Amino acid sequence: MRNLNRRGFLGLTGLVATSAALAACAGTGDGSSGSSGASGSAASGDATTVNFWSNHPGKSIEIEKELISRFQAQNPELTVNLIDGGKNYEEVSQKFNAALSGGDLPDVVVLSDVWWFNYAITGAIAPLDDLFSTAGVDTGDYVDSLLADYLYEGSHFALPYARSTPLFYYNKDVWSQAGLPDRGPESWAEFDEWGPRIQEVVGGGKWAHGWGNAADYLGWTFEGPIWTFGGAYSDGWDLKFTDSKTLEAGAFLKDMIHTKKYASVSNDIANDFSAGLLASTIASTGDLSGITSNAAFEFGTAFLPAPDGPGCPTGGAGLAIPSGISDERKANALKFVDFVTNGDNTAYFSQNTGYMPVRKSAAENDEMKKYLDENPNARTAVDQLAVTRSQDYARVFVPGADQVIGTGLEKIALQNADVAVTFAEIQDQLQQIIDRQITPSL
């Protein structure tokens, strides 16, 4: 298969046809009743009302309400309804997919890094560039790399909103008791030396380290560690799950849990870390605010261990607008998106959630400067952005791959499954999807 870079892939018009069926399989969430689909009667909805579907990333529901209040104060002719789209990005996507099949479409929808492009290539979300000037959007103020993540065939199909990286969180009290330096590990080999010492300190019923489960994005948080072992999920479209270095990383995961017994899988890493059940974990920058509020101990954040190059992916979500609503609704929706992601508001969102500010002008916000000076844990996320790496195709471009990968890793972690067999199963599943739904269009 020829090697295509990220933008080359997104420029493949042939994927429109093959992916049409994929969006229909994305899920069957509970869409609102009605008869409007992607190009149905939703186009004639109330243009003065902006329905915003969100999973409230980083437990941000109150923050989103404040942003809406600010917007309506400046735009009294418009009403914004904040609608709960689900508990995570997957549920929002499922609900949106159901609405495309026959329901009331939102005006703005949160779509994560592994969902937006499926809807772009099927025409379900609108290209925004023609609307930028009308809505007064200054795209030059967005962080270039974050804005470029939504580029497809010369158009942007979303704008960055709750953008994140994984962070290494650690309990400073436990670190001190274990005689460790006040920092994150420089490599996973170093942490493997630290793990048993930390486990002795925390004792039974607690763990030196906790990994999230498949639903808690284990496929995302373990991507960086795999890179540092010299492995990968893929190199372009060439899957790498059976390569020796990738297998070595999988063996490390298995060993720390089942042999050395200083790590475990948690159903909610942020809450379990905050409760002191985990001495360390890898969680999103978006968890920072909640952990800060809930933890009764001093904790630190650090870059993901990566001594020889990037060991951390970016992630998070953007805001998209359905193509099947009227032009007036699109214009008002984009006006809302532009407002809630402007310099001051993305700074406010960042300070209260831990997500990265998505506008360059946020760096000039006095409150943001003060916040970063006073909160070094938050500065870690901003600084780490410079040493992140784009995610492997296998996770973000192959439909359903995130859950396939996460479930396989969870099987190793929870069931002590054979690494080589499990990774071969993951590779086989993803290769079938690529062969059937992607290769014919290349």
Side-chain angles (χ1 to χ4, degrees), residues 172-181 194 196-201:
K172 291 195 173 191
D173 295 340
V174 173
W175 249 236
S176 177
Q177 293 176 54
L180 299 176
W194 292 2
R197 294 167 58 184
I198 300 169
Q199 190 61 42
E200 288 183 10
V201 171

Side-chain angles (χ1 to χ4, degrees), residues 2-67:
R2 61 177 172 167
N3 185 29
L4 291 174
N5 61 26
R6 175 182 172 89
R7 297 307 161 212
F9 163 68
L10 291 178
L12 290 172
T13 57
L15 273 176
V16 174
T18 58
S19 297
L22 299 180
C25 297
T28 55
D30 56 339
S32 303
S33 62
S35 59
S36 58
S39 58
S41 61
S44 60
D46 181 6
T48 65
T49 299
V50 176
N51 290 315
F52 174 31
W53 285 11
S54 178
N55 64 307
H56 324 300
K59 299 179 174 62
S60 59
I61 186 169
E62 295 303 322
I63 311 307
E64 290 178 329
K65 288 178 179 177
E66 170 61 22
L67 293 176

Side-chain angles (χ1 to χ4, degrees), residues 92-154:
V92 175
S93 182
Q94 290 168 8
K95 183 174 181 178
F96 180 52
N97 182 70
L100 293 171
S101 301
D104 292 334
L105 290 172
D107 296 271
V108 177
V109 59
V110 171
L111 293 177
S112 81
D113 53 352
V114 301
W115 287 110
W116 74 267
F117 68 90
N118 273 327
Y119 294 112
I121 59 182
T122 58
I125 56 177
L128 303 178
D129 295 67
D130 289 344
L131 298 170
F132 284 154
S133 59
T134 301
V137 179
D138 177 14
T139 56
D141 189 37
Y142 284 97
V143 175
D144 294 337
S145 60
L146 301 182
L147 178 66
D149 278 340
Y150 306 104
L151 183 65
Y152 163 56
E153 289 193 331

Side-chain angles (χ1 to χ4, degrees), residues 212-296:
N213 58 18
D216 214 6
Y217 308 111
L218 180 56
W220 180 54
T221 56
F222 200 67
E223 190 171 24
I226 280 186
W227 293 340
T228 67
F229 277 82
Y233 293 152
S234 63
D235 179 7
W237 291 113
D238 184 14
L239 298 179
K240 296 293 183 180
F241 289 92
T242 59
D243 283 16
S244 61
K245 295 298 184 180
T246 308
L247 293 173
E248 185 181 345
F252 168 74
L253 175 67
K254 181 176 180 176
D255 184 61
M256 69 192 303
I257 294 174
H258 296 287
T259 303
K260 296 187 177 179
K261 300 184 185 299
Y262 66 84
S264 184
V265 169
S266 164
N267 291 327
D268 192 330
I269 48 177
N271 281 339
D272 285 351
F273 177 76
S274 299
L277 300 178
L278 308 174
S280 65
T281 193
I282 295 177
S284 170
T285 58
D287 291 313
L288 181 57
S289 177
I291 291 174
T292 301
S293 298
N294 297 328

Side-chain angles (χ1 to χ4, degrees), residues 29 77 118 141 149 151-152 156 181 188 198 206 231 297 355 393 399 424-425 434 442:
E77 74 282 4
N118 273 327
D141 189 37
D149 278 340
L151 183 65
Y152 163 56
H156 296 87
W188 286 108
I198 300 169
K206 299 180 182 180
F297 53 86
Y355 284 103
Y393 285 20
E425 291 172 348
I434 292 171
L442 297 182

